Amino acid sequence: GDIVLLAKPVTLTEGDRVTLTTDVPVATDGTSKPEKLLYAVSLPPVHGQIEHINYPGVPISSYSQLDVVAQKVSVVHDNSHGAGKEALR
């Protein structure tokens, strides 16, 4: 089926960690299997990384909608200067 994706910017300040919820990236592909709907990070955050909460400090390049629903994915700012909005793509 068709895939629908809605994403809102995530605002971080230096050193912040924001856990993604379905308010930030939410997608549907017409099935009821969120573990099979995968996000690929094509453009990582400029001042940080996306991490699975079970593996802090390790950047990830993909995660599932099920991970988002379970609040297992975070965007982490790296303490560098230049805090701002990071858009997930």
Side-chain angles (χ1 to χ4, degrees), residues 4-10 18-28 34-35 37 39 63-74 88:
V4 177
L5 172 65
L6 303 171
K8 296 177 186 176
V10 174
V18 174
T19 300
L20 300 184
T21 66
T22 54
D23 291 341
V24 178
V26 62
T28 182
E35 69 278 5
L37 183 59
Y39 294 93
Y63 53 93
S64 72
Q65 181 68 24
L66 185 60
D67 292 329
V68 174
V69 170
Q71 298 184 2
K72 298 281 188 179
V73 179
S74 294
L88 301 177

Side-chain angles (χ1 to χ4, degrees), residues 34-62:
E35 69 278 5
K36 296 201 180 221
L37 183 59
L38 300 177
Y39 294 93
V41 180
S42 60
L43 187 61
V46 175
H47 298 286
Q49 60 193 25
I50 299 172
E51 302 176 352
H52 191 281
I53 64 166
N54 291 345
Y55 305 100
V58 179
I60 57 174
S61 59
S62 65

